[in-house]
Amino acid sequence: DVQLQASGGGLVQAGGSLRLSCAASGFTFDQYTIGWFRQAPGKEREGVLSIRSRDPNTYSAASVKGRFTITSDRSKNMWYLQMNSLMPEDSAVYSCAVSPRRWITGRIRDPTLFEYWGPGTQVTVSS
């Protein structure tokens, strides 16, 4: 069974940076889509960034393009979300998720397509 755990959240001032980590266990998929999502109070869950197997591209929400990047260490089944130039509107609970499918790019940040989720980590950006 796949288990995920996101960590690295915290309180940061606007303009600062944070790196979130996602540790995956039981991950043996050859094809996959990995996503980072966030949910702020009173708002729907939003797909922030996704990557998929055999594709070097990163699929970002417009709100984070140029500020957030995703990296991975497959040997350790770790994925990272590097968040730079943080803004108060980035404050949310951030979660990582995995799908054992390689989703088409048009739906690659759709949270309903991801089967495995880990507990989130809170990111708070102060102004």
Side-chain angles (χ1 to χ4, degrees), residues 48-49 58-68:
V48 176
L49 278 169
T58 300
Y59 299 90
S60 307
S63 58
V64 305
K65 189 161 282 190
R67 301 188 297 121
F68 290 13

Side-chain angles (χ1 to χ4, degrees), residues 3-17:
Q3 293 188 333
L4 304 171
Q5 180 66 58
S7 61
L11 174 64
V12 64
Q13 288 189 331
S17 298

